[in-house]
Amino acid sequence: ITLQGLDIFDANVYMPGMTMIGSGPGAVSGNIVSIDNSPFDPKEKLIFLYSNDSIVAYDHTDQLGYFEFNALPLNTYTLKAEIAGHYSSLAQINLTENQALVSDIQIEISSSGVFGLEDLPVTNISDLRLYPNPVENAINIRIKATVSESCILKIISSTGAVVTELTVTLQAGDNKINLDAGNLKSGLYLLTCLSENDSKPGTLRFIKK
């Protein structure tokens, strides 16, 4: 540990002991994602697996931020990233006989500690979905409308900036829309859909790789 600066004269290092657990049929995997679009390298980041507030396992992410834990006993666990200078959301997982394998867990990383952009329901639009998530180059949007009407689609960054906006005409029933996402930076985004007869937009969030 190298200390630099006249005002830094001491460093306290706390190394918690790891509680040993047995093995089982459970497995957990997922990715870490930055939600504030700040520069962030996802590789070689430390992920802790907790049980009853005790660390029971850890893993380092690969170059894409992927992590996995295998041979876990069936139990309730909490996942958290340990990254200097960043906040981490907590992901809680309950491994049971009916669901022993849990994948696609997303641990959100933020430099500000602000989390919780929730999906909001829609009214005249009975179903709003997007795939894949995380997004690479294209966003596929499925909108099921109860009536024929126009809809304003917006993609909003985690800082509140509108990066894409367009108006589409919806037919009653299923509608499929494709949007180019190749120019989006990596991070968390919101997709909002406001129909002409609704006062509040439907909102989904997605991750751009």
Side-chain angles (χ1 to χ4, degrees):
I1 300 175
T2 302
L3 303 180
Q4 297 178 346
L6 297 177
D7 57 339
I8 301 177
F9 59 90
D10 193 13
N12 296 316
V13 177
Y14 173 63
M15 302 179 69
M18 191 168 66
T19 302
M20 303 304 294
I21 58 175
S23 62
V28 175
S29 63
N31 286 78
I32 58 174
V33 293
S34 175
I35 66 170
D36 53 11
N37 294 327
S38 61
F40 179 75
D41 185 358
K43 68 179 179 181
E44 291 299 320
K45 297 300 184 288
L46 187 61
I47 308 297
F48 282 137
L49 182 71
Y50 291 84
S51 177
N52 296 324
D53 297 325
S54 297
I55 299 173
V56 296
Y58 67 90
D59 190 28
H60 289 89
T61 58
D62 65 11
Q63 297 204 8
L64 297 177
Y66 176 81
F67 60 85
E68 64 179 356
F69 297 90
N70 296 306
L72 298 174
L74 301 180
N75 203 346
T76 299
Y77 298 96
T78 300
L79 288 164
K80 180 184 179 183
E82 186 72 19
I83 305 172
H86 288 78
Y87 298 89
S88 169
S89 65
L90 300 178
Q92 292 188 335
I93 302 98
N94 185 25
L95 299 181
T96 65
E97 292 183 358
N98 294 328
Q99 189 175 22
L101 306 179
V102 177
S103 59
D104 297 329
I105 298 297
Q106 292 183 346
I107 299 180
E108 298 174 346
I109 306 300
S110 168
S111 59
S112 63
V114 177
F115 300 100
L117 296 175
E118 300 298 332
D119 296 346
L120 298 178
V122 294
T123 53
N124 285 344
I125 297 173
S126 60
D127 192 16
L128 175 63
R129 301 182 185 182
L130 66 84
Y131 60 93
N133 191 8
V135 169
E136 293 190 17
N137 297 317
I139 305 173
N140 301 300
I141 304 170
R142 179 180 175 232
I143 304 175
K144 190 173 183 179
T146 57
V147 295
S148 298
E149 58 186 346
S150 62
C151 172
I152 300 176
L153 291 175
K154 293 182 181 180
I155 297 178
I156 304 172
S157 71
S158 60
T159 62
V162 178
V163 296
T164 300
E165 180 176 346
L166 73 157
T167 300
V168 297
T169 300
L170 302 177
Q171 303 298 323
D174 287 329
N175 299 264
K176 294 182 180 180
I177 301 167
N178 298 319
L179 295 181
D180 181 20
N183 61 337
L184 297 180
K185 296 180 180 179
S186 298
L188 175 71
Y189 291 86
L190 297 181
L191 171 73
T192 67
C193 177
L194 179 62
S195 67
E196 59 184 341
N197 295 314
D198 283 331
S199 59
K200 293 182 180 181
T203 304
L204 297 177
R205 60 179 179 174
F206 67 91
I207 302 296
K208 173 62 169 63
K209 286 187 177 180

